[in-house]
Amino acid sequence: MHSQVKFPVSLQETWAILKEEPGAFLVAGGTDSIPRANQRIEFHPLYVCLDRVPGLKGWSLEGETYTIGAMTTLVEIQESGLDPSLGALLQAASQVASPQIRNRATIGGNILQENRCIYFNQSVSWRRQDCCFKLGGNLCYQYRGSKDCVALFQSDVAPALMALNGSVVLESPRGQRVLPLEQIYLNRGRNNKALEKDEVLTKVLIPADKRLRSAYVRETIRGSIDFPLISCAAAFWMEGERIAQAQIVVGCAGVRPARAQRAEGLLVEATLSQVPELLPKVVEEAKRVIMPFRDSRVDGPARKTLGGEAVRKAILSLLAPAGQ
Amino acid sequence: MPTNLPPLCLTITVNGQKRQDWIIPDMTLLHYLRDICGLFGTKKACGAGECGACTVLLNGRPVYSCITLAAQAMDCQVETIEGLGQDGKLHPIQEAFLECGAVQCGFCTPGIILTAKAFLERNHHPSDQEIRQALAGNLCRCTGYVQILEAVKLAAEKMYGKEA
């Protein structure tokens, strides 16, 4: 079976294709979807490549908002010279997979990447007869007894953008809407993006703030190529030495990145010098948002333990004096 | 596999040579280079963007050709290992790999050399750590990487001299 490939040159043409062809599948860099096609895990009769749609690349600072085009590659973000206050995004983009992947993979594609699990994302010949939820069956190999698919969402960029209060611009023939990143992920492992079929993610918006400092830490077995086992993006909005607002987002926590709100609450109003003392409690609270699902490499408890480490490292890296 | 899909006309520059080919639309860049251009130096291994054996340079940047559609390389410059040596003479990176014994079975070598080429063009005097990071997307199962690291350092010296 082969797929047709189309290269629309405008959003209007993209929407027209999406309307006419029910099997159309949008491709940005292709580093998430083409491997699945190569492995015969999934098939799409039509790829709609966004390479030639104008206006989807590059970044700018307009007023108080950073705007990043959805087709901007991760290496372009890594080399962009974006403000160090967006450290979480820069660190996340520069740690995704390998240099070759980052040269193709885009920020939009990374945000909308498919959830992954031990059963679905393996060679077809290894699959057993009873299908999982994602394949139309009614069981989950990732977490037995689960009533729905709980494939992990393993994006590096998404938790970083969530910690930075990022949002996305979705454009359709009906106009455009801006959705906070937190709201585009639904609470299930399959079809878990709150996008309409004809909506195209065109931009990522991040509010600029001089008081912001942020960091991203991921835990993996190998130093590169791997998806993270667990990760943490942390952001502080400072007023002098005092933390006015804190956001901690755990990536790979489950079917979507998870905000650790109780952990954040412990840090608000604290000064930076008080943070080491608060840290054990913060880490314990943050670990609670990590679902006990296994990964193909480690089990649930290991992911939780590593998650605590990621949170600890991310917060500690925010304690260094500004400008260091 | 047979297909009734209309073919796609690909215009592309491979190793400095402009080409036009009618291809199956969803053909990967890897299959295009091997099966249509006859450039077998680009290797197929994992097919999933994990090993780096299929690395080629797309507009000067290393990419995995096994997970890039040939159509996505339309009007782009592609460089494969065959494009490196000139007039029967090896490229300095290729020479360095031979001198350091950085080649054993050789399957990963074309990908590693291309990644190293793109990297050294951006960073003339890299540290060991920078080389390791640049080559992190290329797996080798034979040499243990030490000779590869030495070879890239030697290649940097051959191409750009010792750091002042």
Side-chain angles (χ1 to χ4, degrees):
Chain A
M1 295 241 275
H2 285 282
S3 313
Q4 184 54 275
V5 182
K6 288 191 176 172
F7 287 87
V9 293
S10 68
L11 281 175
Q12 286 74 18
E13 192 186 342
T14 311
W15 296 324
I17 296 170
L18 291 175
K19 193 176 173 194
E20 281 160 26
E21 312 265 0
F25 185 81
L26 290 178
V27 176
T31 52
D32 185 46
S33 53
I34 309 287
R36 289 197 302 275
N38 285 354
Q39 292 172 308
R40 308 271 189 271
I41 288 175
E42 65 184 36
F43 172 75
H44 302 284
L46 171 63
Y47 286 126
V48 183
C49 298
L50 295 172
D51 302 53
R52 285 181 218 157
V53 178
L56 300 185
K57 272 186 161 277
W59 68 275
S60 62
L61 173 61
E62 285 151 28
E64 297 289 290
T65 308
Y66 289 102
T67 305
I68 304 176
M71 287 290 285
T72 309
T73 60
L74 298 178
V75 75
E76 283 164 354
I77 291 174
Q78 191 180 337
E79 296 172 356
S80 61
L82 276 164
D83 192 74
S85 63
L86 305 183
L89 174 64
L90 295 168
Q91 289 155 18
S94 62
Q95 290 180 75
V96 172
S98 62
Q100 284 93 329
I101 298 265
R102 296 194 292 271
N103 284 336
R104 294 285 310 156
T106 64
I107 186 169
N110 196 290
I111 292 170
L112 295 180
Q113 73 182 50
E114 280 288 319
N115 289 32
R116 299 167 51 82
C117 83
I118 55 166
Y119 182 74
F120 185 84
N121 297 86
Q122 64 179 347
S123 297
V124 173
S125 51
W126 281 94
R127 287 185 180 159
R128 277 164 262 177
Q129 210 166 9
D130 298 331
C131 292
C132 73
F133 286 114
K134 221 175 192 176
L135 288 164
N138 57 3
L139 78 161
C140 177
Y141 289 96
Q142 179 99 345
Y143 194 68
R144 297 289 182 131
S146 169
K147 291 195 173 65
D148 202 347
C149 169
V150 293
L152 292 169
F153 183 65
Q154 296 186 307
S155 162
D156 286 290
V157 169
L161 286 172
M162 269 170 70
L164 297 170
N165 283 330
S167 46
V168 291
V169 178
L170 305 172
E171 294 193 46
S172 71
R174 299 174 300 284
Q176 70 172 43
R177 62 178 176 139
V178 178
L179 210 58
L181 209 64
E182 239 179 307
Q183 291 176 25
I184 71 169
Y185 301 114
L186 307 174
N187 209 14
R188 56 175 184 245
R190 56 182 170 145
N191 303 329
N192 74 334
K193 317 292 187 298
L195 265 68
E196 302 288 333
K197 273 210 155 152
D198 56 353
E199 277 183 323
V200 181
L201 193 164
T202 55
K203 290 184 200 98
V204 176
L205 308 176
I206 309 168
D209 196 324
K210 284 206 168 60
R211 303 173 305 153
L212 172 67
R213 52 169 78 186
S214 66
Y216 176 79
V217 172
R218 80 203 296 252
E219 296 287 345
T220 53
I221 290 173
R222 300 183 293 181
S224 72
I225 305 184
D226 281 354
F227 280 94
L229 296 168
I230 195 89
S231 65
C232 174
F236 290 169
W237 283 261
M238 304 299 299
E239 254 154 38
E241 278 294 292
R242 200 173 54 83
I243 300 168
Q245 192 195 337
Q247 289 204 160
I248 299 170
V249 181
V250 183
C252 306
V255 297
R256 42 166 297 163
R259 276 275 300 279
Q261 278 165 323
R262 286 171 69 174
E264 291 166 5
L266 294 170
L267 291 166
V268 175
E269 297 299 324
T271 61
L272 287 183
S273 54
Q274 289 170 327
V275 171
E277 208 179 303
L278 295 167
L279 201 52
K281 200 121 194 274
V282 173
V283 168
E284 276 319 301
E285 284 296 343
K287 277 164 73 177
R288 286 178 204 271
V289 303
I290 302 169
M291 295 291 134
F293 309 146
R294 59 185 279 220
D295 178 86
S296 56
R297 299 153 290 179
V298 298
D299 60 11
R303 285 183 57 251
K304 244 183 189 219
T305 308
L306 288 166
E309 275 305 284
V311 173
R312 196 176 63 82
K313 288 181 200 165
I315 292 176
L316 283 179
S317 73
L318 292 181
L319 301 186
Q324 181 173 301
Chain B
M1 206 178 285
T3 173
N4 292 326
L5 290 175
L8 188 140
C9 182
L10 177 71
T11 52
I12 190 169
T13 306
V14 180
N15 295 332
Q17 197 183 0
K18 275 202 168 171
R19 292 185 61 113
Q20 188 178 40
D21 292 291
W22 291 91
I23 61 166
I24 297 169
D26 67 350
M27 180 175 245
T28 61
L29 183 58
L30 170 71
H31 281 124
Y32 169 75
L33 292 168
R34 287 178 65 88
D35 299 349
I36 295 192
C37 304
L39 299 170
F40 297 107
T42 308
K43 305 299 182 195
K44 182 184 181 214
C46 73
E50 291 173 5
C51 74
C54 68
T55 301
V56 298
L57 302 187
L58 184 65
N59 289 342
R61 296 260 193 191
V63 302
Y64 294 140
S65 62
C66 73
I67 57 166
T68 305
L69 296 176
Q72 289 180 301
M74 180 85 79
D75 299 326
C76 291
Q77 303 267 349
V78 174
E79 194 171 356
T80 71
I81 192 72
E82 288 88 349
L84 251 62
Q86 282 186 343
D87 307 323
K89 213 172 158 290
L90 292 178
H91 188 278
I93 304 177
Q94 292 172 307
E95 284 174 1
F97 268 64
L98 288 179
E99 285 168 34
C100 293
V103 181
Q104 199 163 318
C105 87
F107 205 80
C108 69
T109 313
I112 294 184
I113 289 180
L114 287 165
T115 308
K117 178 174 184 273
F119 168 64
L120 291 178
E121 277 167 7
R122 287 186 160 74
N123 188 343
H124 296 349
H125 303 289
S127 67
D128 287 11
Q129 189 55 27
E130 286 170 333
I131 298 173
R132 284 199 187 94
Q133 279 173 357
L135 298 183
N138 294 80
L139 300 186
C140 169
R141 303 268 92 157
C142 314
T143 70
Y145 301 106
V146 176
Q147 291 94 330
I148 293 173
L149 187 76
E150 297 295 324
V152 176
K153 281 197 282 190
L154 179 63
E157 255 183 62
K158 279 174 182 273
M159 292 162 75
Y160 304 107
K162 283 202 168 161
E163 197 170 6

